[in-house]
Amino acid sequence: ETGVTQTPRHLVMGMTNKKSLKCEQHLGHNAMYWYKQSAKKPLELMFVYSLEERVENNSVPSRFSPECPNSSHLFLHLHTLQPEDSALYLCASSQDTTGGYTFGSGTRLTVV
Amino acid sequence: QQQVKQSPQSLIVQKGGISIINCAYENTAFDYFPWYQQFPGKGPALLIAIRPDVSEKKEGRFTISFNKSAKQFSLHIMDSQPGDSATYFCAASTGQGGSEKLVFGKGTKLTVNP
């Protein structure tokens, strides 16, 4: 497998459910990111991990909880979400010296 | 300061025509300006990027023009093809510590008619 892989591709969850999104990168990058992409909105940066440490949390509600167990894996744990959280969640990785991000295909999340 | 303003929101071009998408920024510390292409159901993919030490970069049919004094940069797609139909995002970043955080424009949906 190459690039950035996200699972699942689609997820429907109720507001009381707990689920997790997974991201795996096979590029040897040292930084990973979670972005939220909604209709008619720019890509919103949620979390940044560099060398497995969280370096940025862009005022994201606590119902979103990231986890980065190693430089190749990134998770986004979800609980008690709201319908407005329905969006495409994108994972990306980069090597800090280049600035070029490689994105995964995203998880399409629907909260019902 | 951190915004990147992108226009137009949508663009329709005939096959063989030139597509032009513009972006403007305020933060003079930005030093990396990539363009991303996103097809439906896929994540954005890096298309072409430029640093402020050059005014133009060309890769095949895609060209970035960069105007440092005006704080503007644009993407030109020559001989546009239906397969170029996608959403295009400009972005800008500054290198900070161990990560570079991109700020994205709102995107331009390009439709190339056959």
Side-chain angles (χ1 to χ4, degrees):
Chain A
E1 287 244 26
T2 58
V4 179
T5 304
Q6 288 187 245
T7 55
R9 291 297 309 275
H10 302 272
L11 178 63
V12 179
M13 60 185 288
M15 289 190 285
T16 58
N17 290 159
K18 289 184 180 180
K19 296 286 184 182
S20 295
L21 310 184
K22 179 182 176 182
C23 176
E24 184 174 0
Q25 60 100 357
H26 307 270
L27 301 166
H29 288 165
N30 60 8
M32 297 186 77
Y33 313 81
W34 280 117
Y35 277 86
K36 176 183 178 183
Q37 187 175 36
S38 308
K40 299 181 182 179
K41 281 191 176 182
L43 287 156
E44 299 174 71
L45 178 64
M46 300 176 72
F47 300 103
V48 180
Y49 276 83
S50 176
L51 301 173
E52 302 160 39
E53 289 188 16
R54 190 191 309 179
V55 297
E56 184 161 332
N57 172 352
N58 269 8
S59 302
V60 179
S62 60
R63 57 185 183 269
F64 295 91
S65 175
E67 178 190 0
C68 187
N70 55 61
S71 60
S72 299
H73 293 86
L74 185 64
F75 295 89
L76 188 63
H77 304 298
L78 316 171
H79 65 97
T80 58
L81 295 191
Q82 304 299 310
E84 59 264 29
D85 296 322
S86 298
L88 181 68
Y89 288 85
L90 290 160
C91 173
S93 70
S94 72
Q95 189 60 29
D96 55 5
T97 58
T98 66
Y101 287 16
T102 302
F103 283 87
S105 293
T107 295
R108 174 68 63 187
L109 174 67
T110 303
V111 181
V112 297
Chain B
Q1 269 279 342
Q2 284 297 102
Q3 279 188 327
V4 176
K5 295 181 180 178
Q6 182 172 349
S7 63
Q9 200 170 5
S10 63
L11 180 63
I12 300 174
V13 175
Q14 290 299 118
K15 179 182 175 182
I18 302 174
S19 303
I20 302 174
I21 305 171
N22 301 299
C23 284
Y25 64 97
E26 290 295 325
N27 188 350
T28 55
F30 286 148
D31 60 2
Y32 177 71
F33 303 89
W35 284 89
Y36 283 81
Q37 180 188 54
Q38 185 177 24
F39 293 107
K42 298 287 187 180
L46 180 63
L47 185 64
I48 187 172
I50 197 168
R51 294 203 183 264
D53 51 342
V54 296
S55 60
E56 186 175 282
K57 183 173 182 180
K58 184 176 180 180
E59 289 184 3
R61 296 184 294 108
F62 299 91
T63 300
I64 298 179
S65 296
F66 183 77
N67 186 330
K68 189 174 181 179
S69 60
K71 292 186 283 187
Q72 295 175 346
F73 59 110
S74 59
L75 176 69
H76 297 238
I77 305 174
M78 311 300 288
D79 186 27
S80 299
Q81 299 296 312
D84 297 330
S85 297
T87 300
Y88 292 81
F89 295 92
C90 63
S93 74
T94 61
Q96 294 181 16
S99 67
E100 295 192 9
K101 292 160 284 186
L102 286 176
V103 177
F104 286 89
K106 292 188 177 183
T108 296
K109 185 176 181 181
L110 172 66
T111 302
V112 181
N113 289 327

